Amino acid sequence: MKIQTILAAGAMTVAAVAAQNAQAGAVLDGIKAKGFVQCGVNTGLPGFSAANAEGKWEGIDVDVCRATAAALLGDANAVQYTPLTAAQRFTALQSGEIDILSRNTTATTTRDAKLGLTFVGINYYDGQGFLIPKALGVSSATELDGATVCVEPGTTTELNLADYFRAKGMSFEPVVIENINEATAAFFSGRCDVYTTDASGLASIRTQMAENPADYVILPEIISKEPLGPVVAQGDEQWSDIVRWAFAAMVEAEEYGVTMENVDDMKANSTNPGIQRLLGVSPGMGEALGLDEAWAYNIIKQVGNYGESYEKNVTAKLGLERGLNALWTDGGLQYAWPVR
């Protein structure tokens, strides 16, 4: 009898928590009312977020937005994009102009604790590097004393740059340009000797924007840790949970080998309890998030798992291998919290 009482009390607690979770916050209410997710993205960084020739946004950061829309609204295309410079991005999020920022943004203490932001995952582990013309004749960043350096303002890149040169006892002349397209144009026109940003960004710029990529070299030094990931404003915990678990579902799907192509077969035939929970065959995870039980199925069916997104956007377009972004089972850092 006592055990039955305890179980009943536990069931009431679970029901109360589920009911609480089902209450939408201001951001979630707004998204449901308008029927789409407003996503802040880079103004143009191929492989991460950039408009293609047809004007369609694509990239590994864009896929986070699409996954979130698939989980919440059942439609990965229910996204509108707001291109933002580095200086504009946080104000846009804080003011409610955008619902989510998915724009190669580094998680730092100040941003997390002082700006009223919540980082909900790391979708790309990166580090800052230097791109130079091969004709400069430099083989190491330690040879850049006195160089002019193109950099975007309001970034960890700008701060790391100053730290690195100060620590090495070297001087440099910053050429600060807010818009990435204008900054890269300045670099390729010779206004600065060096362009610095995340190493993935340098690869993207060299591959996609240089007239002759072979004329440019990325120096071997990586001078910082840059854990990049999607960000939401604090104050709507259910919304941040949905974005967090939408990305986690992409990684967990890769861990289980669930792909766009086999997700229907997996849903119908897999006897793996983890896959059954992920795909809603065993209900409960959708309810916990206040979503339809097909939330993760919709992500995988419409967007793909993390590995598929990486291959399509980063490896195929930029030639960058997984490295730190491989699954933990393959020696990398990508590790999904369990969907259970």
Side-chain angles (χ1 to χ4, degrees):
M1 186 66 181
K2 186 176 180 181
I3 292 175
Q4 290 174 336
T5 301
I6 293 172
L7 291 176
M12 291 176 64
T13 300
V14 170
V17 170
Q20 184 180 14
N21 286 345
Q23 294 175 356
V27 177
L28 196 52
D29 280 341
I31 295 170
K32 290 178 177 177
K34 63 191 176 188
F36 60 86
V37 175
Q38 192 72 43
C39 182
V41 293
N42 198 302
T43 53
L45 187 63
F48 290 82
S49 54
N52 63 20
E54 290 76 41
K56 181 180 177 182
W57 284 90
E58 57 188 18
I60 195 169
D61 289 340
V62 167
D63 276 354
V64 173
C65 303
R66 300 184 73 241
T68 304
L72 175 60
L73 303 170
D75 181 3
N77 294 319
V79 183
Q80 291 192 5
Y81 298 95
T82 302
L84 296 166
T85 67
Q88 296 169 330
R89 54 187 166 175
F90 298 131
T91 301
L93 189 59
Q94 292 161 332
S95 68
E97 178 185 348
I98 58 174
D99 304 310
I100 175 176
L101 176 67
S102 190
R103 182 204 180 281
N104 57 307
T105 296
T106 304
T108 70
T109 307
T110 301
R111 292 168 177 175
D112 186 51
K114 293 187 68 176
L115 298 185
L117 309 176
T118 297
F119 286 85
V120 294
I122 304 301
N123 72 325
Y124 198 92
Y125 290 93
D126 209 341
Q128 182 175 340
F130 299 99
L131 178 67
I132 64 166
K134 187 178 292 184
L136 198 63
V138 168
S139 59
S140 168
T142 59
E143 301 170 37
L144 294 177
D145 189 22
T148 53
V149 184
C150 281
V151 62
E152 290 180 79
T155 60
T156 55
T157 304
E158 186 180 24
L159 303 176
N160 296 333
L161 174 66
D163 285 352
Y164 180 78
F165 274 75
R166 186 181 305 116
K168 296 294 183 184
M170 301 190 301
S171 65
F172 71 99
E173 180 181 344
V175 179
V176 180
I177 302 174
E178 181 174 326
N179 185 290
I180 187 173
N181 295 321
E182 294 176 5
T184 53
F187 170 68
F188 288 124
S189 69
R191 280 187 60 192
C192 46
D193 302 315
V194 184
Y195 190 95
T196 184
T197 189
D198 302 333
S200 61
L202 297 179
S204 175
I205 290 166
R206 181 175 65 172
T207 303
Q208 302 290 329
M209 302 180 187
E211 184 174 337
N212 183 4
D215 289 342
Y216 297 89
V217 175
I218 298 174
L219 296 177
E221 287 86 357
I222 297 296
I223 67 169
S224 70
K225 296 183 293 183
E226 304 295 335
L228 311 178
V231 197
V232 298
Q234 291 178 4
D236 188 335
E237 292 306 310
Q238 189 181 0
W239 171 235
S240 61
D241 284 348
I242 289 170
V243 182
R244 176 180 295 110
W245 287 101
F247 173 65
M250 294 181 71
V251 179
E252 181 127 312
E254 184 182 11
E255 292 179 357
Y256 282 130
V258 183
T259 67
M260 295 179 75
E261 184 175 353
N262 70 18
V263 65
D264 287 306
D265 178 62
M266 289 283 194
K267 185 175 183 179
N269 300 309
S270 177
T271 58
N272 184 316
I275 293 175
Q276 291 179 334
R277 277 192 298 273
L278 180 67
L279 299 181
V281 176
S282 300
M285 300 302 100
E287 181 185 15
L289 292 166
L291 301 174
D292 186 275
E293 295 295 346
W295 67 282
Y297 168 85
N298 290 334
I299 294 171
I300 301 160
K301 183 69 176 179
Q302 298 179 39
V303 183
N305 67 36
Y306 178 78
E308 290 177 295
S309 176
Y310 193 100
E311 172 61 33
K312 174 182 65 178
N313 293 303
V314 181
T315 303
K317 292 182 178 176
L318 306 180
L320 294 177
E321 299 301 326
R322 292 289 290 269
L324 293 177
N325 294 289
L327 294 179
W328 64 288
T329 49
D330 297 326
L333 297 177
Q334 287 296 348
Y335 179 106
W337 295 358
V339 178
R340 69 175 305 142

